Amino acid sequence: MSELSKTTSRSVLKITADHHVWEDDEIVTEYPLTIFLNEEEFATIVCTPADLEEMVVGFLAAEGAIQSFAEIKQITIDEAKGMAYIDLHKATILSQSFYSKRRITSCCGKSRQSFYFFSDARTAKPASGSTSVTPLQCIKLMEDLQASSDIHRQTGGVHNAALCSPEQILLQYSDIGRHNALDKIYGKCLRENISTTDKILVFSGRLSSEVLLKAAKIGAGIILSKSAPTDLALQLADELQITAVGFIRHNKMNVYTQPQRIILS
């Protein structure tokens, strides 16, 4: 499959307090991809046009439409038309309303009520990994993530996500959609049967409840971010037993939940 352009060049008027000049600038590409599942339209994702198969697989798994890569019979992506056709071995799928309808549930058997999609309740499980990491390793992984994204340096318009061991980045993806970057990781792991329970997610964006749920579905017990969390994300992190670390900047960090996985000297 050919590679679509991730960026486009555009002449931009750049202005400072005492100077202005026209220069070419790289702008990130925004690309809509419509997914058809067993010949029925399922969803349209606005994304960066790269690693599309990984993103589609991860998205379908996160939505509960599949549980393993083996359920997929065939994937066909028509880049020119922005269409992805996925044929599953099973003949039927759950109604679209199953994926879009909200419910209120007691998360993981606890008394606190959290908002979920029906599919979230089926696919988001408590973390089981025992991997631990030092503060210095957290800071180094975040620095490596920022340094590894060429498209972010060129445009400043994408989110970055990586699957890591405590020592190094193992997989790294960028996308205009923060959820898409995580779906690409999930899809790659499903396609290549990569274990995630002993891994760490490193993420450039805010830790929202939806991002936290993505982490739970992927199976990582630690998620690191350079940005802030939301209150609901931290409620879910506690209940799903995920270590959430934010504001990893300038050799500092905040550990919000499950601090036992952070090794202190």
Side-chain angles (χ1 to χ4, degrees):
M1 185 177 68
S2 64
E3 183 82 1
L4 293 167
S5 177
K6 302 176 188 177
T7 66
T8 185
S9 183
R10 185 182 183 90
S11 183
V12 179
L13 178 59
K14 298 188 176 182
I15 302 173
T16 64
D18 56 2
H19 182 68
H20 66 271
V21 63
W22 284 94
E23 290 184 353
D24 285 342
D25 207 3
E26 290 297 308
I27 309 297
V28 67
T29 301
E30 189 171 3
Y31 175 82
L33 182 70
T34 299
I35 298 172
F36 289 83
L37 195 56
N38 284 351
E39 301 183 350
E40 293 188 14
E41 185 173 339
F42 186 74
T44 296
I45 302 173
V46 178
C47 62
T48 298
D51 310 296
L52 297 178
E53 289 191 9
E54 286 86 349
M55 183 186 69
V56 169
V57 172
F59 173 76
L60 292 177
E63 291 299 300
I66 62 171
Q67 293 182 316
S68 71
F69 184 69
E71 295 176 36
I72 297 176
K73 183 178 180 180
Q74 183 176 346
I75 300 176
T76 304
I77 296 181
D78 186 332
E79 293 180 346
K81 294 182 178 179
M83 304 291 186
Y85 303 95
I86 296 86
D87 295 324
L88 303 182
H89 289 290
K90 60 184 179 180
T92 59
I93 62 172
L94 295 169
S95 167
Q96 177 68 28
S97 63
F98 179 90
Y99 302 99
S100 61
K101 187 174 181 180
R102 282 280 186 184
R103 81 172 191 178
I104 300 176
T105 182
S106 177
C107 178
C108 306
K110 300 290 186 70
S111 59
R112 183 187 295 123
Q113 287 189 326
S114 303
F115 289 91
Y116 273 87
F117 287 110
F118 276 108
S119 57
D120 291 335
R122 295 172 63 244
T123 56
K125 306 299 181 184
S128 59
S130 59
T131 298
S132 57
V133 65
T134 69
L136 287 179
Q137 286 174 323
C138 294
I139 292 166
K140 178 66 163 52
L141 289 173
M142 184 59 65
E143 291 174 347
D144 290 347
L145 175 67
Q146 296 302 99
S148 67
S149 176
D150 292 336
I151 188 172
H152 184 269
R153 287 197 300 273
Q154 292 171 356
T155 69
V158 295
H159 289 282
N160 303 314
L163 187 75
C164 308
S165 69
E167 295 78 24
Q168 63 183 337
I169 291 176
L170 305 173
L171 302 172
Q172 187 268 330
Y173 291 98
S174 299
D175 201 279
I176 59 169
R178 58 183 183 268
H179 303 154
N180 300 340
L182 292 168
D183 282 337
K184 290 175 180 180
I185 288 175
Y186 197 9
K188 178 73 168 179
C189 291
L190 289 171
R191 288 183 64 178
E192 301 193 5
N193 198 28
I194 298 171
S195 173
T196 57
T197 56
D198 58 342
K199 303 300 191 303
I200 300 163
L201 282 174
V202 186
F203 185 61
S204 65
R206 182 180 70 253
L207 291 180
S208 67
S209 59
E210 291 173 307
V211 167
L212 200 286
L213 285 168
K214 291 278 189 183
K217 294 170 185 181
I218 291 170
I222 302 173
I223 184 165
L224 311 177
S225 171
K226 73 179 183 68
S227 299
T230 67
D231 178 64
L232 182 54
L234 297 183
Q235 291 179 38
L236 290 169
D238 268 329
E239 295 169 353
L240 292 164
Q241 300 171 28
I242 293 174
T243 300
V245 183
F247 284 114
I248 304 178
R249 307 174 184 177
H250 312 300
N251 294 320
K252 296 180 181 179
M253 53 191 280
N254 293 342
V255 182
Y256 293 96
T257 61
Q258 305 295 312
Q260 71 274 9
R261 292 193 181 96
I262 305 300
I263 303 171
L264 301 176
S265 58

